[in-house]
Amino acid sequence: MSPTRFPPHFANTDHRQRSLNQMRSKQLGLEKYIYLNGLKGRDSDLFYNILLENMQEMIPILYTPTVGEACVNYSHIWRRPEGLYVSIQDKGRIRDVLASWPNFNDGRIAVVTDGSRILGLGDLGANGLPISLGKLDLYIAGAGIKPSSTVPICLDLGTNTQRYLDDPLYIGVRRPRPLGPEMDEFMDEFMEAMKEVFPTLLVQFEDFSTDNAFKYLERYRHQYRVFNDDIQGTGSVILSGFTNAARLSSAASGLPPSDHKILFLGAGSAGIGVAKQLLSFFTLSGLSPEEARSRIYTVDSKGLITAGRKGLQEHKKFFARTDYDGPALTDLVDIINHVKPTALLGLSTIRNAFTEKVVKAMCALNTRPIIFPLSNPVTLCELDYQEAIEWSNGQVIFASGSPYKPVSCDGVVYEPGQGNNMYIFPGIGLGSILSRTRHVSDAMVEQAAIALANSLTEEEKAAELVYPRLARIRDISAQVAFAVIRQAQKEKLDDNAYLRTLPDPDLLGLIHDKMWQPPALQLRSFTRL
């Protein structure tokens, strides 16, 4: 742009601060989201500079909780093309659609959603694209993935939400979602086309409906570079936080780690995915797989899940109890008193499901109860932090899915944990890309969780945190990526032989060196004609 288009003394001012002030002047989270979205389109280098310097402020805008509101309203706030839409109407020519992406030779990671289960907000159809955009912004900020190598994709397969079908501004295909063979054929063509167009790309599935999330992860995980963050990423980050929480709880009670019992409220893809990942906590504590499974209880809308229940969905059968054949247990307090759990985890998307009675029931059983209300966004969270502290007299070990501010109670300031997937998936992505892994194995995800759990500084341990502070995210992601690479090498899943030759300090240094940094903003004096 011609220098004469700029104010004469523009270069003498801090435009980064000006842009940050403009964002902060917006009153609503959605307004801030729209502003940042526009800034990224106008000047991506400035956007990423501001993001890296203000992550704790901006991440809740670009991702949870504000991204949920952006998705719900996306057809009405859409301003410009951003990601890539692949429609059910493109069946038979999906490869051509993917090849239209401008940087397809650079593509290294894609976040793919079909919009069918966005956060806890349900089927949002084509409005789900901001989930892919936001997730990739976190890859860029958290692990230094180069922006031009990211591919945000929304599969526009229709929607079963009538208000969108009736909305004249809805940007997606106006039809019900495909079922059975039609959906399978589309996904098979899509995944094969992704491999042809983007041969070195890692695919992350995001916010598919529960049944399809499990189905397509199992269908493709040994055939392509693919993982599902809702199932594997969430499970990994909660395994890490639970490991540190159990250490604190056991220190207070003297209970051996293997004697913990976990009760889940919520048995969808995230709930069961987390539960399966937490099996590792018990097997690493010395239990057999069967003994580990016996330590986990699951609850859905019908109560405690038991093997004798008729019509039980396939993914719920794994943790269905075989040791209870009495009357159905439907009240959460009754279930707590029956199970006597040391930990209560919520992935139910039921606001305020953990009532004062529930919290006090957990406190009656445990010196320091572990309570993780993990549903996103905040409007669907099972328990707010202020109430958790007040009802437990500060004894609760807490982590949520969405961010909460510190709470002061009786002169003590308590700092909440957040089971943010950002602690895990950027490092898994970076490690997978650098090692050129052919698949993402369960052991790679498990090692990512262990690396995160071990990343606490001495000061963070002294503060009794269960997660490290997000300000250190790039150091954390490097440690996670390191663990992922070494595990891929151990399983002989890696195609980058050079990394095998590097000693540990050199490999960690290389990981840091590979992290992209936005160009430094060079504001110089303009010569005006």
Side-chain angles (χ1 to χ4, degrees):
M1 183 179 293
S2 170
T4 59
R5 298 290 301 278
F6 288 84
H9 297 283
F10 173 76
N12 298 328
T13 66
D14 187 345
H15 187 51
R16 184 164 38 195
Q17 187 61 49
R18 178 185 294 110
S19 300
L20 196 57
N21 289 347
Q22 289 172 0
M23 181 200 74
R24 289 169 176 168
S25 73
K26 310 298 180 184
Q27 298 300 308
L28 302 177
L30 185 58
E31 292 176 335
K32 293 180 179 183
Y33 177 92
I34 293 170
Y35 173 79
L36 291 173
N37 180 270
L39 179 63
K40 182 167 63 170
R42 294 188 301 273
D43 190 339
S44 62
D45 288 345
L46 175 60
F47 168 82
Y48 286 115
N49 265 279
I50 293 174
L51 173 57
L52 286 177
E53 292 180 359
N54 302 275
M55 281 198 287
Q56 288 182 298
E57 179 179 1
M58 289 176 60
I59 286 169
I61 301 169
L62 297 170
Y63 205 63
T64 58
T66 307
V67 74
E69 189 177 1
C71 287
V72 168
N73 295 284
Y74 193 57
S75 288
H76 291 254
I77 66 171
W78 188 95
R79 279 159 170 74
R80 62 184 175 86
E82 297 177 89
L84 183 61
Y85 279 98
V86 183
S87 169
I88 188 70
Q89 297 173 341
D90 295 324
K91 196 167 177 290
R93 53 181 293 271
I94 292 176
R95 189 191 183 284
D96 295 336
V97 174
L98 295 177
S100 71
W101 185 249
N103 299 316
F104 71 85
N105 287 325
D106 298 330
R108 294 295 180 270
I109 189 162
V111 174
V112 179
T113 185
D114 71 347
S116 58
R117 191 193 60 81
I118 298 296
L119 301 173
L121 302 171
D123 181 356
L124 305 188
N127 291 321
L129 182 63
I131 283 291
S132 297
L133 296 167
K135 215 57 178 273
L136 288 169
D137 280 338
L138 301 192
Y139 272 106
I140 295 163
I145 304 296
K146 191 176 181 180
S148 61
S149 70
T150 64
V151 187
I153 296 178
C154 183
L155 306 179
D156 182 15
L157 306 177
T159 179
N160 295 333
T161 302
Q162 192 62 42
R163 73 176 182 276
Y164 291 131
L165 296 175
D166 295 338
D167 183 351
L169 295 182
Y170 178 61
I171 57 178
V173 175
R174 297 174 188 273
R175 57 155 283 177
R177 287 189 173 275
L179 300 172
E182 184 183 12
M183 179 72 174
D184 291 345
E185 290 170 8
F186 176 89
M187 289 298 297
D188 287 347
E189 181 185 347
F190 171 75
M191 290 301 295
E192 187 58 31
M194 287 286 283
K195 185 176 181 179
E196 291 179 19
V197 177
F198 305 103
T200 59
L201 188 103
L202 173 69
V203 175
Q204 181 200 305
F205 287 144
E206 183 76 15
D207 285 351
F208 279 65
S209 65
T210 297
D211 289 343
N212 283 342
F214 283 102
K215 176 181 179 180
Y216 293 123
L217 177 61
E218 290 305 316
R219 190 180 184 97
Y220 302 126
R221 64 182 306 187
H222 300 298
Q223 191 176 354
Y224 305 103
R225 292 185 179 95
V226 63
F227 77 105
N228 185 303
D229 186 52
D230 300 306
I231 297 172
Q232 296 163 291
T234 302
S236 182
V237 77
I238 303 309
L239 170 60
S240 173
F242 183 82
T243 298
N244 289 329
R247 173 178 52 81
L248 293 172
S249 181
S250 290
S253 67
L255 190 74
S258 59
D259 285 352
H260 280 278
K261 288 194 284 188
I262 308 172
L263 178 64
F264 280 84
L265 179 65
S269 60
I272 298 300
V274 171
K276 287 185 175 180
Q277 196 66 59
L278 284 178
L279 290 171
S280 298
F281 171 81
F282 294 106
T283 55
L284 291 170
S285 299
L287 298 186
S288 70
E290 274 306 307
E291 289 171 330
R293 184 160 60 166
S294 73
R295 295 293 180 185
I296 294 175
Y297 299 71
T298 53
V299 177
D300 62 8
S301 59
K302 297 179 181 178
L304 182 67
I305 297 176
T306 60
R309 185 194 296 178
K310 293 181 179 180
L312 194 60
Q313 290 173 280
E314 190 64 33
H315 71 275
K316 296 181 181 180
K317 292 180 180 178
F318 186 81
F319 289 106
R321 304 302 301 187
T322 59
D323 55 358
Y324 179 79
D325 57 5
L329 290 172
T330 58
D331 180 80
L332 187 54
V333 173
D334 290 341
I335 296 171
I336 289 171
N337 289 331
H338 169 72
V339 173
K340 295 179 172 53
T342 58
L344 175 63
L345 275 62
L347 289 134
S348 66
T349 69
I350 301 174
R351 176 69 172 159
N352 297 328
F354 295 167
T355 63
E356 183 173 3
K357 289 183 178 179
V358 167
V359 173
K360 288 188 179 300
M362 288 294 295
C363 291
L365 294 168
N366 303 282
T367 306
R368 298 208 60 191
I370 300 167
I371 302 181
F372 285 10
L374 299 169
S375 292
N376 284 316
V378 170
T379 53
L380 300 175
C381 187
E382 291 86 0
L383 177 66
D384 288 335
Y385 188 46
Q386 179 82 40
E387 294 172 335
I389 292 297
E390 291 177 355
W391 294 341
S392 70
N393 294 318
Q395 294 306 299
V396 67
I397 302 171
F398 179 99
S400 57
S402 290
Y404 281 97
K405 295 180 179 179
V407 166
S408 179
C409 183
D410 295 329
V412 179
V413 177
Y414 297 90
E415 190 173 344
Q418 184 191 355
N420 191 331
N421 287 23
M422 187 179 178
Y423 285 120
I424 284 288
F425 67 77
I428 291 178
L430 181 61
S432 299
I433 291 169
L434 293 178
S435 65
R436 300 175 200 157
T437 184
R438 294 184 295 280
H439 311 295
V440 179
S441 70
D442 288 338
M444 290 164 67
V445 176
E446 180 181 287
Q447 288 303 309
I450 294 171
L452 174 58
N454 291 334
S455 70
L456 292 175
T457 65
E458 290 305 315
E459 185 274 331
E460 289 166 341
K461 291 177 183 177
E464 297 191 340
L465 302 186
V466 296
Y467 291 107
R469 294 192 172 93
L470 202 58
R472 299 196 299 110
I473 185 60
R474 286 212 167 181
D475 287 337
I476 297 162
S477 293
Q479 293 178 54
V480 171
F482 175 89
V484 167
I485 291 169
R486 288 303 194 216
Q487 184 60 36
Q489 294 169 347
K490 184 177 181 180
E491 296 182 74
K492 296 181 172 56
L493 294 173
D494 61 312
D495 284 335
N496 188 344
Y498 170 68
L499 299 189
R500 287 177 168 265
T501 69
L502 297 178
D504 289 352
D506 292 351
L507 177 57
L508 193 60
L510 178 143
I511 293 168
H512 279 286
D513 290 344
K514 291 292 185 179
M515 290 183 172
W516 176 83
Q517 293 282 354
L521 298 178
Q522 301 290 337
L523 294 179
R524 65 188 189 282
S525 297
F526 296 113
T527 300
R528 293 172 60 83
L529 302 177

